[in-house]
Amino acid sequence: MKRVLIAIGVILVLLVAIVIIVPFVVPTSTLVDYVKEEVEGATGRKLTVNGDPSFSIFPDVALTLPEVALSNAPGGAAEDLVRISSADIQVDLMAAISGNLVIKRFVLVEPVIAIEKDANGRFNFEFDPPAGAAAVVPAPDLLAEATSGGSGGDSAGGGSDLTLRLDDVRLENATFIYMDAQTGQRQELTGVNARLSLPDFAGPFDMDASAEWQGRQVSVVAHVDKPQAIAAGQETALRLTAESGDLFKVDFNGTATAGTAPNGAGRLTVTADRLGDLLAWVGAAMGPEVKLPSSISLDANVTGSPTAVALSDAAIGFDGNRLTGAIRVGLAGARPSLFADLSGGDLDLRPYMPAETKEGGGTSDGAAAPAGGSKDWSDDPIDLSALDAADVDLHIVADSIKAGILDTAATDIKLVSEGKRTNLTIAKLGLYDGDATGAIGIDRRGAAPKFAIKLDGNGIQAQPMLQQFADFGDFLGTVELAVDMTTAGASERQIVSALNGTGALTVRDGAIIGYNLAAAVRGISTANLDLDYDKAEKTDFAEISATW
């Protein structure tokens, strides 16, 4: 037994001696040349290392490479696919010998990574090894080793029990460039600084990163409680924050699962205090005719997968408005689907409505109306293609809605659009101290769309209604309305020409302000007919009705 222990001791001493001596016996340049040949043989690209690289094995495996570059694909816009000012790598030797991967230091200074897609849709990181080159042997899947507990699937102790640890892992002043020859698109992420921490592969994992994109700083902070669980397709706690000054902020606190069925769930908070600037920053700015909220916010429980995203217990704010409820978006199937059940208090939508056209060609915001307008019905086709974008089931309840052209009190409406059929159901619409109910249907299955309109109104006060729609407030009365009509057509003229149905309008207990018709009639006999407008005068009536 003593001889065995002596033999083991001698072997260990020799191994340590080899580790210490190898860097002095084998020149670093020889090792670098070997790596360059292997990389070129595997990728068909040239690896260049300038400056004076250094390499050591003991006490840690350490490699420092100054000015490293991997050439780009032939015909690429950039000279190099990857260019790094310096790379500093240090791995714990004794941990590696015992089957653990401990990266003490992995620092890339000023790396520039240029991702390109050529006119044929091929990316520059798709390598073509030289003809006759040996097939590349895949590297061991260290992540799988770590999550499975060892090689050969022996989780009872026969495996290698490989673990991963990250101490000092950083990117310093990195640049990522994306170029698409098919679309001409170019995106650049500069000043990327990131720090990763993984004390143990069981967790936690932390990342703190910042970068500049489109002239603005963006920061991302992430925390994964058990990264090993994600790699194994299991659930783990996850926190994520992304923000850019006062432009936007996104917070997520919940759980996530990767693997064959990735999904996540948790609390999501989003704020954008300058929505217009945010859309312009990401290249999605709307035209001047589109009026958007200046700020938006979202606070909701969220669940998500590649096929669906759902929000529950949601609070949605835009400017001074607030909606609560649930939203679900389906991404599977022939086209997406949207379900929403929302309720709100007093909603003011007037800032987002199109400018009203005034008599004389101007608009309510002072802009000039397009020249050459006509009051006749248009023959231009009405575009209903937006109704084909998704299947929709939208239910909205509000205490009141101010829209400028129509202001409502208590409102309960539902819009359902599925396939080629769209139906709007008005369960309650508070209008001018009265109520309205009804339904509007659009059937697009034929050559020309068909429309069905049914509307019933009771207790509607005529004066405020006419004041808003016609700027005329001298007609009083309580309105009852019943309309049941159908039509079809692809233009305004066709729709109006094909109108068919019935309608009834009754105004009760009313008056016409400004005129006393009874007194005027009496004045005829005395040759003193007076039809001048006088605000103090009025003509009462019990009922006026019409049918068609």
Side-chain angles (χ1 to χ4, degrees):
M1 184 66 182
K2 182 178 180 180
R3 292 182 178 180
V4 173
L5 293 176
I6 293 174
I8 292 175
V10 171
I11 293 173
L12 289 175
V13 171
L14 290 174
L15 287 174
V16 171
I18 291 172
V19 164
I20 296 174
I21 295 172
V22 162
F24 299 99
V25 175
V26 181
T28 301
S29 60
T30 302
L31 295 174
V32 171
D33 289 342
Y34 173 77
V35 172
K36 290 163 62 176
E37 291 175 3
E38 289 297 307
V39 169
E40 186 169 353
T43 66
R45 309 286 179 83
K46 183 178 180 181
L47 179 69
T48 58
V49 179
N50 297 319
D52 297 320
S54 64
F55 174 72
S56 64
I57 296 180
F58 190 81
D60 294 316
V61 179
L63 175 65
T64 301
L65 297 174
E67 301 181 32
V68 183
L70 180 64
S71 64
N72 200 1
E79 180 179 355
D80 299 311
L81 169 62
V82 179
R83 186 175 70 253
I84 304 171
S85 291
S86 69
D88 191 356
I89 304 168
Q90 184 178 353
V91 178
D92 190 313
L93 175 62
M94 301 311 296
I97 293 175
S98 64
N100 300 317
L101 180 58
V102 176
I103 300 178
K104 288 187 172 181
R105 183 176 172 84
F106 187 96
V107 180
L108 302 181
V109 178
E110 296 183 345
V112 178
I113 301 173
I115 304 298
E116 300 178 13
K117 184 166 70 172
D118 64 20
N120 297 319
R122 181 180 173 86
F123 286 98
N124 62 341
F125 53 76
E126 299 178 36
F127 300 120
D128 290 320
V136 179
V137 178
D141 191 341
L142 299 180
L143 197 59
E145 289 277 344
T147 57
S148 65
S151 62
D154 185 0
S155 58
S160 61
D161 293 326
L162 176 67
T163 62
L164 173 65
R165 194 181 89 195
L166 306 179
D167 289 345
D168 182 15
V169 177
R170 284 178 286 134
L171 286 178
E172 294 184 358
N173 197 26
T175 299
F176 294 87
I177 301 171
Y178 173 74
M179 291 176 281
D180 190 334
Q182 292 181 321
T183 64
Q185 179 186 12
R186 177 188 172 95
Q187 297 291 343
E188 193 166 320
L189 198 65
T190 61
V192 180
N193 293 286
R195 180 183 293 273
L196 311 181
S197 172
L198 182 65
D200 188 284
F201 193 56
F205 167 81
D206 289 283
M207 180 187 75
D208 191 341
S210 64
E212 182 175 302
W213 183 69
Q214 301 278 64
R216 290 194 64 91
Q217 280 290 121
V218 182
S219 64
V220 178
V221 178
H223 172 88
V224 180
D225 200 38
K226 299 178 180 179
Q228 187 176 19
I230 286 188
Q234 300 169 355
E235 186 178 86
T236 186
L238 172 68
R239 294 197 304 271
L240 176 68
T241 299
E243 61 183 318
S244 179
D246 61 349
L247 198 61
F248 77 91
K249 184 175 182 179
V250 178
D251 278 306
F252 175 78
N253 190 350
T255 61
T257 302
T260 57
N263 64 80
R267 195 69 184 176
L268 175 67
T269 303
V270 179
T271 57
D273 292 331
R274 292 157 46 204
L275 181 59
D277 291 342
L278 174 61
L279 293 176
W281 180 58
V282 300
M286 304 296 180
E289 70 282 357
V290 179
K291 299 182 178 181
L292 297 173
S294 59
S295 64
I296 60 171
S297 63
L298 169 67
D299 186 12
N301 291 326
V302 60
T303 59
S305 71
T307 58
V309 177
L311 303 177
S312 61
D313 188 25
I316 304 168
F318 53 102
D319 295 334
N321 302 291
R322 177 181 170 87
L323 291 168
T324 60
I327 299 175
R328 184 174 65 251
V329 178
L331 304 175
R335 63 180 184 176
S337 63
L338 170 64
F339 166 86
D341 189 355
L342 302 171
S343 61
D346 298 321
L347 304 179
D348 188 357
L349 307 182
R350 292 173 297 179
Y352 324 121
M353 295 294 106
E356 297 178 32
T357 301
K358 292 184 175 180
E359 187 175 351
T363 61
S364 59
D365 60 4
S374 172
K375 295 182 180 180
D376 195 9
W377 300 113
S378 173
D379 290 314
D380 295 336
I382 297 175
D383 186 5
L384 299 175
S385 60
L387 298 176
D388 294 321
D391 291 332
V392 176
D393 187 337
L394 174 62
H395 182 212
I396 295 180
V397 177
D399 293 340
S400 69
I401 299 177
K402 291 182 179 180
I405 190 172
L406 179 66
D407 296 340
T408 70
T411 301
D412 186 342
I413 58 176
K414 185 170 186 177
L415 175 67
V416 177
S417 184
E418 186 174 2
K420 292 292 184 179
R421 305 188 71 171
T422 302
N423 293 286
L424 174 65
T425 302
I426 304 172
K428 184 179 181 63
L429 200 64
L431 291 174
Y432 311 106
D433 298 328
D435 292 301
T437 61
I440 300 174
I442 305 176
D443 187 342
R444 309 185 310 283
R445 291 176 295 178
K450 298 178 181 179
F451 302 85
I453 303 169
K454 183 175 178 61
L455 183 64
D456 295 294
N458 293 284
I460 299 172
Q461 297 304 303
Q463 185 184 39
M465 179 177 65
L466 292 173
Q467 185 70 57
Q468 183 169 24
F469 282 97
D471 196 21
F472 179 73
D474 292 338
F475 189 89
L476 308 179
T478 301
V479 179
E480 293 181 5
L481 176 69
V483 175
D484 191 350
M485 306 185 73
T486 61
T487 187
S491 67
E492 289 180 359
R493 189 184 303 277
Q494 291 176 4
I495 291 172
V496 173
S497 300
L499 278 172
N500 186 29
T502 60
L505 174 66
T506 302
V507 183
R508 292 189 174 92
D509 303 324
I512 301 174
I513 297 175
Y515 303 96
N516 189 330
L517 296 182
V521 171
R522 288 193 299 269
I524 295 176
S525 61
T526 61
N528 188 25
L529 179 63
D530 183 8
L531 291 178
D532 291 337
Y533 179 85
D534 185 349
K535 188 73 174 179
E537 299 289 345
K538 68 177 180 177
T539 299
D540 297 320
F541 61 87
E543 180 179 303
I544 298 176
S545 63
T547 60
W548 62 90

